[in-house]
Amino acid sequence: MTVPGVAPIAALTFKAAIDDPNRFKKSRTVVAHFGLTPRRYQSGEHDNPGRISKAGDRDVRATLYAAANAMLMRTMAGSHRRRKTSLTQTPN
């Protein structure tokens, strides 16, 4: 909830979907639980990672995506403003 762009709704959705955090031993298993791990295509010598598997709760994935997108857009907008002001300032 302290990350800009992540509203209390996103935090509550994530918390409600996890319900008991003790059932996950590693953070990787939480990611796999929501289907955010890439699907693997393996055949002989080839190992091609695919798209996310989309297993698990669709609403949680959508909420996490919206929160991450909001955070990235805010960061990109802030960096654009900083770059613009640094180009317009004249050195002393």
Side-chain angles (χ1 to χ4, degrees), residues 13-76:
T13 303
F14 183 76
K15 176 67 176 155
I18 294 290
D19 59 61
D20 183 21
N22 293 327
R23 66 185 174 139
F24 300 105
K25 299 210 183 286
K26 296 181 182 179
S27 61
R28 290 181 189 171
T29 56
V30 175
V31 174
H33 177 72
F34 293 127
L36 296 172
T37 57
R39 183 177 284 172
R40 307 298 283 183
Y41 298 103
Q42 296 178 336
S43 172
E45 295 177 6
H46 299 286
D47 183 16
N48 300 326
R51 297 180 179 173
I52 62 172
S53 63
K54 294 185 181 177
D57 194 355
R58 184 184 340 164
D59 294 330
V60 174
R61 267 196 320 277
T63 304
L64 292 175
Y65 174 79
N69 195 25
M71 186 176 78
L72 287 174
M73 289 298 126
R74 181 178 296 213
T75 303
M76 288 173 54

Short mmCIF file of all heavy atoms in Angstrom, two decimals, residues 13-76:
data_model
loop_
_atom_site.label_atom_id
_atom_site.label_comp_id
_atom_site.label_asym_id
_atom_site.label_seq_id
_atom_site.Cartn_x
_atom_site.Cartn_y
_atom_site.Cartn_z
N THR A 13 -7.17 -7.07 -2.36
CA THR A 13 -7.39 -8.17 -3.29
C THR A 13 -6.29 -9.21 -3.16
O THR A 13 -6.54 -10.41 -3.11
CB THR A 13 -7.46 -7.65 -4.74
OG1 THR A 13 -8.48 -6.67 -4.82
CG2 THR A 13 -7.73 -8.77 -5.72
N PHE A 14 -5.05 -8.74 -3.09
CA PHE A 14 -3.91 -9.64 -2.95
C PHE A 14 -3.97 -10.38 -1.61
O PHE A 14 -3.80 -11.59 -1.55
CB PHE A 14 -2.61 -8.85 -3.06
CG PHE A 14 -1.38 -9.69 -3.01
CD1 PHE A 14 -0.99 -10.44 -4.09
CD2 PHE A 14 -0.60 -9.72 -1.85
CE1 PHE A 14 0.15 -11.22 -4.05
CE2 PHE A 14 0.53 -10.50 -1.80
CZ PHE A 14 0.91 -11.25 -2.90
N LYS A 15 -4.26 -9.66 -0.55
CA LYS A 15 -4.33 -10.27 0.79
C LYS A 15 -5.45 -11.30 0.88
O LYS A 15 -5.28 -12.37 1.46
CB LYS A 15 -4.52 -9.17 1.84
CG LYS A 15 -4.71 -9.64 3.25
CD LYS A 15 -3.47 -10.28 3.81
CE LYS A 15 -3.71 -10.64 5.26
NZ LYS A 15 -2.88 -11.70 5.71
N ALA A 16 -6.60 -10.99 0.28
CA ALA A 16 -7.72 -11.92 0.32
C ALA A 16 -7.43 -13.18 -0.49
O ALA A 16 -7.85 -14.28 -0.12
CB ALA A 16 -8.98 -11.25 -0.21
N ALA A 17 -6.69 -13.04 -1.58
CA ALA A 17 -6.36 -14.21 -2.40
C ALA A 17 -5.32 -15.10 -1.74
O ALA A 17 -5.34 -16.31 -1.90
CB ALA A 17 -5.87 -13.76 -3.77
N ILE A 18 -4.43 -14.49 -0.96
CA ILE A 18 -3.39 -15.27 -0.27
C ILE A 18 -3.99 -15.99 0.94
O ILE A 18 -3.62 -17.11 1.24
CB ILE A 18 -2.24 -14.35 0.20
CG1 ILE A 18 -1.51 -13.76 -0.99
CG2 ILE A 18 -1.29 -15.05 1.11
CD1 ILE A 18 -0.70 -14.75 -1.75
N ASP A 19 -4.89 -15.40 1.65
CA ASP A 19 -5.55 -15.80 2.88
C ASP A 19 -4.58 -16.31 3.95
O ASP A 19 -4.49 -15.71 4.98
CB ASP A 19 -6.73 -16.76 2.68
CG ASP A 19 -6.42 -18.07 2.02
OD1 ASP A 19 -5.66 -18.88 2.46
OD2 ASP A 19 -7.00 -18.29 1.04
N ASP A 20 -3.84 -17.35 3.76
CA ASP A 20 -2.89 -17.82 4.77
C ASP A 20 -1.48 -17.83 4.17
O ASP A 20 -1.13 -18.74 3.41
CB ASP A 20 -3.26 -19.23 5.23
CG ASP A 20 -2.33 -19.73 6.33
OD1 ASP A 20 -1.69 -18.89 7.00
OD2 ASP A 20 -2.25 -20.95 6.51
N PRO A 21 -0.65 -16.82 4.49
CA PRO A 21 0.68 -16.75 3.88
C PRO A 21 1.62 -17.88 4.31
O PRO A 21 2.61 -18.15 3.64
CB PRO A 21 1.23 -15.40 4.32
CG PRO A 21 0.38 -14.95 5.43
CD PRO A 21 -0.91 -15.68 5.34
N ASN A 22 1.29 -18.59 5.38
CA ASN A 22 2.16 -19.67 5.85
C ASN A 22 2.15 -20.89 4.94
O ASN A 22 3.04 -21.73 5.02
CB ASN A 22 1.76 -20.09 7.26
CG ASN A 22 2.04 -18.99 8.26
OD1 ASN A 22 3.00 -18.24 8.11
ND2 ASN A 22 1.18 -18.86 9.25
N ARG A 23 1.16 -20.98 4.04
CA ARG A 23 1.13 -22.13 3.14
C ARG A 23 2.11 -22.00 1.99
O ARG A 23 2.34 -22.96 1.27
CB ARG A 23 -0.28 -22.37 2.62
CG ARG A 23 -0.81 -21.30 1.73
CD ARG A 23 -2.24 -21.57 1.37
NE ARG A 23 -2.78 -20.46 0.61
CZ ARG A 23 -3.55 -20.59 -0.42
NH1 ARG A 23 -3.90 -21.78 -0.84
NH2 ARG A 23 -4.00 -19.54 -1.05
N PHE A 24 2.70 -20.82 1.81
CA PHE A 24 3.71 -20.61 0.78
C PHE A 24 5.08 -20.53 1.43
O PHE A 24 5.32 -19.68 2.27
CB PHE A 24 3.44 -19.31 0.01
CG PHE A 24 2.11 -19.29 -0.68
CD1 PHE A 24 1.06 -18.54 -0.17
CD2 PHE A 24 1.90 -20.03 -1.82
CE1 PHE A 24 -0.16 -18.52 -0.81
CE2 PHE A 24 0.67 -20.02 -2.46
CZ PHE A 24 -0.36 -19.27 -1.95
N LYS A 25 5.97 -21.40 1.02
CA LYS A 25 7.31 -21.41 1.61
C LYS A 25 8.22 -20.38 0.96
O LYS A 25 9.11 -19.85 1.60
CB LYS A 25 7.91 -22.80 1.48
CG LYS A 25 7.09 -23.85 2.20
CD LYS A 25 7.94 -24.97 2.70
CE LYS A 25 7.10 -26.04 3.35
NZ LYS A 25 6.60 -25.72 4.62
N LYS A 26 8.02 -20.10 -0.33
CA LYS A 26 8.85 -19.14 -1.06
C LYS A 26 7.96 -18.18 -1.83
O LYS A 26 6.81 -18.50 -2.14
CB LYS A 26 9.76 -19.88 -2.06
CG LYS A 26 10.76 -20.79 -1.43
CD LYS A 26 11.60 -21.44 -2.50
CE LYS A 26 12.58 -22.41 -1.88
NZ LYS A 26 13.39 -23.07 -2.91
N SER A 27 8.50 -17.03 -2.18
CA SER A 27 7.73 -16.06 -2.96
C SER A 27 7.48 -16.58 -4.37
O SER A 27 6.50 -16.20 -5.01
CB SER A 27 8.46 -14.72 -3.01
OG SER A 27 9.73 -14.87 -3.63
N ARG A 28 8.34 -17.45 -4.86
CA ARG A 28 8.13 -18.02 -6.20
C ARG A 28 6.84 -18.83 -6.27
O ARG A 28 6.18 -18.86 -7.30
CB ARG A 28 9.29 -18.94 -6.56
CG ARG A 28 10.56 -18.21 -6.82
CD ARG A 28 11.64 -19.19 -7.20
NE ARG A 28 12.93 -18.52 -7.25
CZ ARG A 28 14.06 -19.13 -7.39
NH1 ARG A 28 14.10 -20.44 -7.48
NH2 ARG A 28 15.18 -18.45 -7.43
N THR A 29 6.49 -19.47 -5.18
CA THR A 29 5.26 -20.26 -5.20
C THR A 29 4.02 -19.37 -5.21
O THR A 29 2.99 -19.77 -5.74
CB THR A 29 5.21 -21.24 -4.00
OG1 THR A 29 5.35 -20.51 -2.79
CG2 THR A 29 6.30 -22.28 -4.11
N VAL A 30 4.12 -18.17 -4.65
CA VAL A 30 3.00 -17.22 -4.70
C VAL A 30 2.79 -16.77 -6.14
O VAL A 30 1.67 -16.72 -6.64
CB VAL A 30 3.26 -16.01 -3.78
CG1 VAL A 30 2.16 -14.97 -3.93
CG2 VAL A 30 3.39 -16.44 -2.34
N VAL A 31 3.89 -16.46 -6.82
CA VAL A 31 3.81 -16.04 -8.22
C VAL A 31 3.21 -17.15 -9.07
O VAL A 31 2.36 -16.91 -9.93
CB VAL A 31 5.21 -15.64 -8.72
CG1 VAL A 31 5.21 -15.34 -10.19
CG2 VAL A 31 5.72 -14.44 -7.95
N ALA A 32 3.63 -18.39 -8.83
CA ALA A 32 3.09 -19.52 -9.58
C ALA A 32 1.62 -19.75 -9.26
O ALA A 32 0.84 -20.15 -10.13
CB ALA A 32 3.90 -20.77 -9.28
N HIS A 33 1.23 -19.48 -8.02
CA HIS A 33 -0.16 -19.65 -7.61
C HIS A 33 -1.10 -18.75 -8.41
O HIS A 33 -2.22 -19.13 -8.73
CB HIS A 33 -0.28 -19.36 -6.11
CG HIS A 33 -1.67 -19.44 -5.58
ND1 HIS A 33 -2.34 -20.63 -5.42
CD2 HIS A 33 -2.53 -18.46 -5.17
CE1 HIS A 33 -3.54 -20.39 -4.93
NE2 HIS A 33 -3.68 -19.09 -4.77
N PHE A 34 -0.63 -17.55 -8.76
CA PHE A 34 -1.45 -16.61 -9.53
C PHE A 34 -1.24 -16.74 -11.03
O PHE A 34 -1.83 -16.01 -11.81
CB PHE A 34 -1.17 -15.18 -9.09
CG PHE A 34 -1.63 -14.90 -7.70
CD1 PHE A 34 -0.76 -14.35 -6.78
CD2 PHE A 34 -2.91 -15.20 -7.30
CE1 PHE A 34 -1.19 -14.09 -5.49
CE2 PHE A 34 -3.34 -14.95 -6.01
CZ PHE A 34 -2.47 -14.40 -5.10
N GLY A 35 -0.38 -17.65 -11.46
CA GLY A 35 -0.18 -17.88 -12.88
C GLY A 35 0.68 -16.84 -13.55
O GLY A 35 0.54 -16.57 -14.74
N LEU A 36 1.60 -16.25 -12.82
CA LEU A 36 2.47 -15.21 -13.37
C LEU A 36 3.84 -15.73 -13.78
O LEU A 36 4.73 -14.95 -14.07
CB LEU A 36 2.62 -14.06 -12.37
CG LEU A 36 1.33 -13.32 -12.06
CD1 LEU A 36 1.52 -12.34 -10.93
CD2 LEU A 36 0.81 -12.61 -13.29
N THR A 37 4.01 -17.04 -13.80
CA THR A 37 5.28 -17.62 -14.25
C THR A 37 5.16 -17.95 -15.73
O THR A 37 4.09 -18.29 -16.21
CB THR A 37 5.61 -18.90 -13.46
OG1 THR A 37 4.52 -19.81 -13.61
CG2 THR A 37 5.82 -18.60 -12.00
N PRO A 38 6.27 -17.86 -16.47
CA PRO A 38 6.18 -18.17 -17.90
C PRO A 38 5.99 -19.66 -18.15
O PRO A 38 6.54 -20.50 -17.44
CB PRO A 38 7.52 -17.70 -18.45
CG PRO A 38 8.43 -17.65 -17.30
CD PRO A 38 7.58 -17.39 -16.09
N ARG A 39 5.19 -19.96 -19.13
CA ARG A 39 5.00 -21.34 -19.56
C ARG A 39 6.26 -21.75 -20.31
O ARG A 39 6.82 -20.98 -21.08
CB ARG A 39 3.79 -21.41 -20.48
CG ARG A 39 3.46 -22.81 -20.92
CD ARG A 39 2.23 -22.81 -21.76
NE ARG A 39 1.07 -22.67 -20.88
CZ ARG A 39 -0.15 -22.47 -21.30
NH1 ARG A 39 -0.40 -22.36 -22.58
NH2 ARG A 39 -1.15 -22.37 -20.45
N ARG A 40 6.74 -22.97 -20.07
CA ARG A 40 7.99 -23.43 -20.68
C ARG A 40 7.69 -24.37 -21.83
O ARG A 40 6.84 -25.25 -21.72
CB ARG A 40 8.86 -24.16 -19.65
CG ARG A 40 9.14 -23.38 -18.38
CD ARG A 40 9.89 -22.13 -18.61
NE ARG A 40 11.29 -22.44 -18.83
CZ ARG A 40 12.21 -21.51 -19.02
NH1 ARG A 40 11.88 -20.26 -19.01
NH2 ARG A 40 13.45 -21.84 -19.20
N TYR A 41 8.37 -24.16 -22.91
CA TYR A 41 8.31 -25.06 -24.06
C TYR A 41 9.68 -25.70 -24.20
O TYR A 41 10.64 -25.05 -24.60
CB TYR A 41 7.94 -24.32 -25.34
CG TYR A 41 6.59 -23.68 -25.29
CD1 TYR A 41 6.45 -22.31 -25.09
CD2 TYR A 41 5.44 -24.45 -25.41
CE1 TYR A 41 5.19 -21.73 -25.04
CE2 TYR A 41 4.18 -23.87 -25.35
CZ TYR A 41 4.07 -22.52 -25.16
OH TYR A 41 2.83 -21.94 -25.11
N GLN A 42 9.81 -26.97 -23.81
CA GLN A 42 11.09 -27.65 -23.84
C GLN A 42 11.00 -28.86 -24.77
O GLN A 42 10.07 -29.66 -24.68
CB GLN A 42 11.49 -28.11 -22.45
CG GLN A 42 11.72 -26.95 -21.50
CD GLN A 42 12.08 -27.42 -20.12
OE1 GLN A 42 11.76 -28.53 -19.73
NE2 GLN A 42 12.74 -26.57 -19.37
N SER A 43 11.98 -28.95 -25.65
CA SER A 43 12.04 -30.07 -26.56
C SER A 43 13.51 -30.33 -26.89
O SER A 43 14.13 -29.55 -27.61
CB SER A 43 11.26 -29.77 -27.84
OG SER A 43 11.48 -30.79 -28.78
N GLY A 44 14.06 -31.38 -26.35
CA GLY A 44 15.45 -31.70 -26.63
C GLY A 44 16.40 -30.62 -26.14
O GLY A 44 16.49 -30.35 -24.96
N GLU A 45 17.07 -29.95 -27.06
CA GLU A 45 18.05 -28.91 -26.70
C GLU A 45 17.42 -27.53 -26.59
O GLU A 45 18.05 -26.61 -26.12
CB GLU A 45 19.15 -28.88 -27.75
CG GLU A 45 19.98 -30.14 -27.79
CD GLU A 45 21.03 -30.09 -28.89
OE1 GLU A 45 21.17 -29.03 -29.53
OE2 GLU A 45 21.69 -31.10 -29.09
N HIS A 46 16.20 -27.37 -27.04
CA HIS A 46 15.55 -26.06 -27.05
C HIS A 46 14.77 -25.84 -25.77
O HIS A 46 14.05 -26.70 -25.31
CB HIS A 46 14.60 -25.95 -28.25
CG HIS A 46 15.30 -26.08 -29.55
ND1 HIS A 46 16.08 -25.09 -30.07
CD2 HIS A 46 15.35 -27.11 -30.43
CE1 HIS A 46 16.58 -25.49 -31.22
NE2 HIS A 46 16.15 -26.73 -31.47
N ASP A 47 14.93 -24.65 -25.21
CA ASP A 47 14.21 -24.25 -24.02
C ASP A 47 13.67 -22.85 -24.26
O ASP A 47 14.39 -21.87 -24.09
CB ASP A 47 15.12 -24.29 -22.80
CG ASP A 47 14.39 -23.96 -21.52
OD1 ASP A 47 13.15 -24.00 -21.51
OD2 ASP A 47 15.08 -23.66 -20.52
N ASN A 48 12.43 -22.74 -24.66
CA ASN A 48 11.84 -21.45 -25.00
C ASN A 48 10.81 -21.05 -23.94
O ASN A 48 9.81 -21.73 -23.78
CB ASN A 48 11.14 -21.52 -26.35
CG ASN A 48 12.08 -21.89 -27.47
OD1 ASN A 48 13.23 -21.51 -27.44
ND2 ASN A 48 11.60 -22.65 -28.43
N PRO A 49 11.07 -19.95 -23.23
CA PRO A 49 10.03 -19.48 -22.30
C PRO A 49 8.89 -18.85 -23.10
O PRO A 49 9.10 -18.16 -24.09
CB PRO A 49 10.75 -18.44 -21.45
CG PRO A 49 11.88 -17.98 -22.29
CD PRO A 49 12.26 -19.13 -23.18
N GLY A 50 7.68 -19.13 -22.67
CA GLY A 50 6.51 -18.61 -23.38
C GLY A 50 5.84 -17.50 -22.59
O GLY A 50 6.45 -16.84 -21.75
N ARG A 51 4.57 -17.31 -22.86
CA ARG A 51 3.78 -16.31 -22.15
C ARG A 51 3.48 -16.80 -20.74
O ARG A 51 3.73 -17.95 -20.42
CB ARG A 51 2.48 -16.07 -22.89
CG ARG A 51 2.69 -15.50 -24.26
CD ARG A 51 1.38 -15.28 -24.93
NE ARG A 51 1.59 -14.69 -26.24
CZ ARG A 51 0.63 -14.50 -27.12
NH1 ARG A 51 -0.60 -14.87 -26.82
NH2 ARG A 51 0.88 -13.98 -28.28
N ILE A 52 2.88 -15.94 -19.92
CA ILE A 52 2.51 -16.37 -18.58
C ILE A 52 1.45 -17.45 -18.68
O ILE A 52 0.66 -17.49 -19.63
CB ILE A 52 2.05 -15.20 -17.69
CG1 ILE A 52 0.79 -14.54 -18.25
CG2 ILE A 52 3.15 -14.20 -17.49
CD1 ILE A 52 0.18 -13.53 -17.32
N SER A 53 1.43 -18.34 -17.71
CA SER A 53 0.56 -19.51 -17.78
C SER A 53 -0.92 -19.18 -17.55
O SER A 53 -1.80 -19.92 -17.97
CB SER A 53 1.00 -20.56 -16.78
OG SER A 53 0.88 -20.06 -15.47
N LYS A 54 -1.22 -18.08 -16.88
CA LYS A 54 -2.58 -17.62 -16.60
C LYS A 54 -3.39 -18.63 -15.79
O LYS A 54 -4.60 -18.70 -15.91
CB LYS A 54 -3.32 -17.27 -17.89
CG LYS A 54 -2.73 -16.08 -18.61
CD LYS A 54 -3.56 -15.71 -19.80
CE LYS A 54 -2.94 -14.54 -20.51
NZ LYS A 54 -3.68 -14.19 -21.72
N ALA A 55 -2.72 -19.40 -14.98
CA ALA A 55 -3.41 -20.28 -14.04
C ALA A 55 -3.69 -19.48 -12.78
O ALA A 55 -2.96 -18.57 -12.44
CB ALA A 55 -2.54 -21.49 -13.71
N GLY A 56 -4.74 -19.78 -12.09
CA GLY A 56 -5.04 -19.08 -10.85
C GLY A 56 -6.10 -18.01 -11.02
O GLY A 56 -6.85 -17.98 -11.99
N ASP A 57 -6.13 -17.09 -10.07
CA ASP A 57 -7.19 -16.08 -9.98
C ASP A 57 -6.98 -14.96 -11.00
O ASP A 57 -6.00 -14.23 -10.95
CB ASP A 57 -7.21 -15.52 -8.55
CG ASP A 57 -8.45 -14.72 -8.26
OD1 ASP A 57 -9.27 -14.52 -9.18
OD2 ASP A 57 -8.61 -14.31 -7.11
N ARG A 58 -7.92 -14.81 -11.92
CA ARG A 58 -7.84 -13.81 -12.97
C ARG A 58 -7.95 -12.39 -12.40
O ARG A 58 -7.27 -11.47 -12.87
CB ARG A 58 -8.95 -14.04 -13.98
CG ARG A 58 -8.88 -13.09 -15.15
CD ARG A 58 -10.01 -13.21 -16.13
NE ARG A 58 -10.73 -14.46 -16.07
CZ ARG A 58 -11.92 -14.65 -16.61
NH1 ARG A 58 -12.53 -13.67 -17.23
NH2 ARG A 58 -12.53 -15.81 -16.52
N ASP A 59 -8.79 -12.20 -11.39
CA ASP A 59 -8.98 -10.86 -10.81
C ASP A 59 -7.71 -10.37 -10.13
O ASP A 59 -7.38 -9.18 -10.22
CB ASP A 59 -10.14 -10.88 -9.82
CG ASP A 59 -11.47 -11.13 -10.50
OD1 ASP A 59 -11.61 -10.75 -11.69
OD2 ASP A 59 -12.35 -11.71 -9.86
N VAL A 60 -7.00 -11.24 -9.44
CA VAL A 60 -5.76 -10.84 -8.78
C VAL A 60 -4.72 -10.46 -9.82
O VAL A 60 -4.02 -9.46 -9.68
CB VAL A 60 -5.23 -11.95 -7.85
CG1 VAL A 60 -3.88 -11.60 -7.28
CG2 VAL A 60 -6.21 -12.21 -6.74
N ARG A 61 -4.61 -11.26 -10.89
CA ARG A 61 -3.66 -10.92 -11.96
C ARG A 61 -3.98 -9.57 -12.57
O ARG A 61 -3.10 -8.76 -12.82
CB ARG A 61 -3.69 -11.99 -13.05
CG ARG A 61 -2.68 -13.07 -12.88
CD ARG A 61 -2.48 -13.88 -14.13
NE ARG A 61 -3.68 -14.18 -14.88
CZ ARG A 61 -4.52 -15.17 -14.61
NH1 ARG A 61 -4.27 -15.97 -13.61
NH2 ARG A 61 -5.58 -15.38 -15.35
N ALA A 62 -5.25 -9.30 -12.82
CA ALA A 62 -5.66 -8.02 -13.41
C ALA A 62 -5.36 -6.86 -12.46
O ALA A 62 -4.89 -5.80 -12.91
CB ALA A 62 -7.13 -8.05 -13.75
N THR A 63 -5.59 -7.05 -11.18
CA THR A 63 -5.33 -6.00 -10.20
C THR A 63 -3.84 -5.73 -10.07
O THR A 63 -3.41 -4.58 -10.03
CB THR A 63 -5.92 -6.37 -8.83
OG1 THR A 63 -7.30 -6.65 -8.98
CG2 THR A 63 -5.73 -5.26 -7.82
N LEU A 64 -3.03 -6.79 -10.01
CA LEU A 64 -1.58 -6.61 -9.94
C LEU A 64 -1.02 -5.96 -11.20
O LEU A 64 -0.12 -5.12 -11.13
CB LEU A 64 -0.89 -7.95 -9.68
CG LEU A 64 -1.14 -8.58 -8.31
CD1 LEU A 64 -0.50 -9.96 -8.25
CD2 LEU A 64 -0.60 -7.69 -7.21
N TYR A 65 -1.57 -6.31 -12.35
CA TYR A 65 -1.14 -5.70 -13.61
C TYR A 65 -1.47 -4.21 -13.60
O TYR A 65 -0.64 -3.38 -13.99
CB TYR A 65 -1.81 -6.38 -14.80
CG TYR A 65 -1.51 -5.69 -16.10
CD1 TYR A 65 -0.31 -5.89 -16.75
CD2 TYR A 65 -2.44 -4.81 -16.66
CE1 TYR A 65 -0.03 -5.24 -17.94
CE2 TYR A 65 -2.16 -4.16 -17.84
CZ TYR A 65 -0.96 -4.38 -18.48
OH TYR A 65 -0.68 -3.72 -19.65
N ALA A 66 -2.68 -3.85 -13.17
CA ALA A 66 -3.07 -2.44 -13.14
C ALA A 66 -2.20 -1.64 -12.17
O ALA A 66 -1.80 -0.52 -12.47
CB ALA A 66 -4.55 -2.32 -12.75
N ALA A 67 -1.87 -2.24 -11.02
CA ALA A 67 -1.02 -1.55 -10.05
C ALA A 67 0.39 -1.37 -10.60
O ALA A 67 0.98 -0.30 -10.46
CB ALA A 67 -0.99 -2.35 -8.75
N ALA A 68 0.94 -2.41 -11.23
CA ALA A 68 2.28 -2.30 -11.80
C ALA A 68 2.32 -1.30 -12.94
O ALA A 68 3.26 -0.50 -13.06
CB ALA A 68 2.75 -3.67 -12.28
N ASN A 69 1.28 -1.29 -13.76
CA ASN A 69 1.21 -0.35 -14.87
C ASN A 69 1.12 1.08 -14.35
O ASN A 69 1.77 1.98 -14.88
CB ASN A 69 0.01 -0.68 -15.75
CG ASN A 69 0.08 0.02 -17.07
OD1 ASN A 69 1.15 0.38 -17.54
ND2 ASN A 69 -1.07 0.22 -17.69
N ALA A 70 0.33 1.32 -13.32
CA ALA A 70 0.22 2.66 -12.74
C ALA A 70 1.55 3.11 -12.16
O ALA A 70 1.96 4.27 -12.32
CB ALA A 70 -0.85 2.68 -11.66
N MET A 71 2.26 2.18 -11.50
CA MET A 71 3.55 2.52 -10.91
C MET A 71 4.57 2.84 -12.01
O MET A 71 5.32 3.80 -11.90
CB MET A 71 4.05 1.37 -10.05
CG MET A 71 5.31 1.70 -9.28
SD MET A 71 5.81 0.38 -8.21
CE MET A 71 6.57 -0.72 -9.39
N LEU A 72 4.60 2.05 -13.08
CA LEU A 72 5.55 2.30 -14.16
C LEU A 72 5.24 3.58 -14.91
O LEU A 72 6.15 4.33 -15.28
CB LEU A 72 5.54 1.12 -15.14
CG LEU A 72 6.22 -0.14 -14.63
CD1 LEU A 72 6.02 -1.27 -15.63
CD2 LEU A 72 7.68 0.10 -14.39
N MET A 73 3.98 3.87 -15.13
CA MET A 73 3.62 5.10 -15.84
C MET A 73 3.96 6.33 -15.00
O MET A 73 4.40 7.33 -15.53
CB MET A 73 2.13 5.11 -16.19
CG MET A 73 1.77 4.14 -17.27
SD MET A 73 2.64 4.56 -18.80
CE MET A 73 3.43 3.02 -19.16
N ARG A 74 3.79 6.24 -13.70
CA ARG A 74 4.14 7.36 -12.83
C ARG A 74 5.65 7.58 -12.84
O ARG A 74 6.12 8.70 -12.90
CB ARG A 74 3.66 7.09 -11.41
CG ARG A 74 3.99 8.23 -10.45
CD ARG A 74 3.47 7.94 -9.10
NE ARG A 74 2.02 7.86 -9.18
CZ ARG A 74 1.21 8.22 -8.22
NH1 ARG A 74 1.68 8.65 -7.09
NH2 ARG A 74 -0.09 8.14 -8.35
N THR A 75 6.41 6.49 -12.82
CA THR A 75 7.87 6.59 -12.83
C THR A 75 8.35 7.15 -14.16
O THR A 75 9.23 8.01 -14.20
CB THR A 75 8.50 5.19 -12.61
OG1 THR A 75 8.01 4.69 -11.39
CG2 THR A 75 10.00 5.28 -12.56
N MET A 76 7.78 6.70 -15.26
CA MET A 76 8.19 7.19 -16.57
C MET A 76 7.83 8.66 -16.74
O MET A 76 8.60 9.43 -17.29
CB MET A 76 7.53 6.35 -17.67
CG MET A 76 8.12 4.96 -17.77
SD MET A 76 7.26 3.87 -18.91
CE MET A 76 7.24 4.83 -20.40
#
